[in-house]
Amino acid sequence: MELPQIGKNCQLEGCNSLDFLPVACPLCYQTFCGDHRLPSNHKCSKWSQVTKDLLQCDDCQQLIQAPNDVKLGLEQALEQHKKSKCQLYLYPPSSTIKKVDRQCTVKGCQGIDPRIGPVHCNGCNQDFCLGHRHPASHSCQSLDMDEQRKMERRLAAQEKVAKTFAPQPAKKRKVIKSVPVKSKHGGMVELMKIKSQAKGSPSVPAASRIYVYVQGPKESKVDSQSVYFDKKNSVGKALDLIADLCKVNNKNNTLSSSDPERLELYKCPDMTVLDKSDSLEKALKNLDTVLLERQGAVSMEEVDDQEQAYQ
């Protein structure tokens, strides 16, 4: 839940991050986040006017000013400041600043700002400096608890989905069957039968005809048919004729060889892809069965199922 009334946005151009414990610069009086609270970090316009009178402590990162009532140089003031555990000679001076006895819980860190005090983390109930106030900066145990809660919610959601949506039964794949040769005597009876029923161009000489069974693709409503072609023709030409016969949209001339919409001619039952440049008499023989189908519609599983159907 957002709490817009808490904290302020850093006034440094390009930052604008929301900080729940913003710091006001004692020189330009603008408000900044913990990372840009020092004049040198936000390019303070007043910094150049006071740099000769101030030093920055490399332990606590605070500004140090030598006292006026004691003859003490700036370097000596810095040394005394460090000996006092970063409590003396802070700039700007303020009699209202309370001494901070608590230290940052992160081992070895002395970075708690004495004017701001420690930041209390509700996740682990510990105190930290500005630099370690975020849970991720001090490896807060609340992060592990958050991950555990997320995991529990995820598992509960998965369980609810599993109960709500029962697994659907697997759909049976349509097995494309070729027409087997029924003759027991060299196929002569079957060949005579197909010759009496086969469709083809009358211009093809009887001696040049090859008779095959043709099955159309799934998208076609044309049933298995017996047809004949000129055996001197190529497989590619036969594919075009079969596509017209099955009333299938044929765009092979515009499709790449790997396009799933590309039509191929398969020899059944082993589903061998016929080479379009081969002649029909080289690729097929009488009473063979061929299937016209798109590449993307014939998967290896379908091929295995079909081979099983013929065993």
Side-chain angles (χ1 to χ4, degrees):
M1 184 175 78
E2 295 185 2
L3 299 173
Q5 73 276 13
I6 298 179
K8 291 184 179 180
N9 293 89
C10 180
Q11 291 185 267
L12 178 66
E13 183 178 357
C15 179
N16 198 40
S17 61
L18 178 65
D19 198 307
F20 294 113
L21 289 172
V23 180
C25 176
L27 301 178
C28 64
Y29 302 108
Q30 289 186 307
T31 303
F32 300 95
C33 64
D35 294 335
H36 301 123
R37 68 188 187 279
L38 298 178
S40 58
N41 295 140
H42 62 259
K43 299 179 180 179
C44 182
S45 59
K46 304 292 184 179
W47 178 243
S48 60
Q49 302 173 14
V50 297
T51 51
K52 294 182 179 180
D53 301 324
L54 301 176
L55 279 179
Q56 183 177 354
C57 175
D58 53 5
D59 290 341
C60 66
Q61 305 299 315
Q62 304 302 312
L63 298 178
I64 308 303
Q65 185 180 43
N68 296 326
D69 55 347
V70 180
K71 292 183 179 180
L72 198 67
L74 195 55
E75 293 292 340
Q76 292 174 320
L78 177 61
E79 183 179 352
Q80 293 296 324
H81 166 78
K82 290 183 178 180
K83 289 181 179 180
S84 68
K85 297 183 178 180
C86 298
Q87 301 299 315
L88 295 177
Y89 309 133
L90 295 172
Y91 180 86
S94 174
S95 59
T96 61
I97 298 176
K98 297 181 180 180
K99 183 179 180 180
V100 178
D101 295 327
R102 286 170 292 177
Q103 298 298 323
C104 178
T105 305
V106 176
K107 186 177 181 180
C109 179
Q110 304 289 330
I112 290 183
D113 192 320
R115 287 165 293 180
I116 296 176
V119 181
H120 187 75
C121 175
N122 293 327
C124 59
N125 200 30
Q126 300 288 338
D127 295 327
F128 299 93
C129 66
L130 289 176
H132 294 122
R133 68 190 186 278
H134 298 295
S137 300
H138 60 262
S139 303
C140 184
Q141 62 185 14
S142 63
L143 297 176
D144 296 332
M145 296 173 62
D146 289 340
E147 288 297 323
Q148 180 65 27
R149 285 193 291 266
K150 289 179 182 179
M151 178 63 69
E152 290 174 355
R153 289 196 297 268
R154 187 180 300 113
L155 293 175
Q158 291 175 352
E159 183 179 354
K160 186 174 182 180
V161 170
K163 291 180 179 179
T164 304
F165 301 98
Q168 299 294 325
K171 294 182 179 179
K172 294 183 179 180
R173 293 181 179 271
K174 183 180 178 181
V175 178
I176 304 171
K177 297 181 180 180
S178 66
V179 178
V181 177
K182 299 179 182 180
S183 174
K184 297 181 180 180
H185 304 288
M188 292 302 298
V189 175
E190 190 66 21
L191 182 59
M192 293 176 60
K193 183 178 179 180
I194 195 174
K195 286 183 177 181
S196 65
Q197 299 174 348
K199 298 178 181 179
S201 174
S203 61
V204 179
S208 296
R209 295 178 182 180
I210 182 171
Y211 296 86
V212 294
Y213 294 102
V214 171
Q215 294 191 88
K218 295 178 181 179
E219 64 191 81
S220 173
K221 296 182 181 180
V222 178
D223 295 330
S224 175
Q225 299 188 43
S226 54
V227 296
Y228 63 84
F229 302 102
D230 191 332
K231 59 185 177 182
K232 300 297 183 182
N233 287 341
S234 66
V235 171
K237 185 173 182 179
L239 185 149
D240 294 336
L241 294 173
I242 295 174
D244 292 338
L245 179 66
C246 296
K247 300 178 182 179
V248 175
N249 189 13
N250 181 11
K251 296 183 179 179
N252 278 11
N253 59 332
T254 62
L255 300 177
S256 66
S257 59
S258 60
D259 196 298
E261 291 298 310
R262 187 175 180 82
L263 289 168
E264 296 289 354
L265 204 58
Y266 298 87
K267 181 180 179 181
C268 299
D270 57 1
M271 300 298 289
T272 303
V273 180
L274 299 180
D275 190 337
K276 298 179 184 62
S277 61
D278 286 345
S279 64
L280 288 175
E281 65 178 346
K282 178 180 178 181
L284 299 170
K285 64 180 183 299
N286 284 327
L287 301 178
D288 276 346
T289 300
V290 294
L291 165 68
L292 179 69
E293 188 56 275
R294 299 192 186 277
Q295 286 187 141
V298 177
S299 67
M300 291 305 296
E301 185 175 352
E302 285 179 325
V303 171
D304 292 340
D305 289 344
Q306 186 162 345
E307 288 180 347
Q308 183 67 30
Y310 284 97
Q311 290 178 0

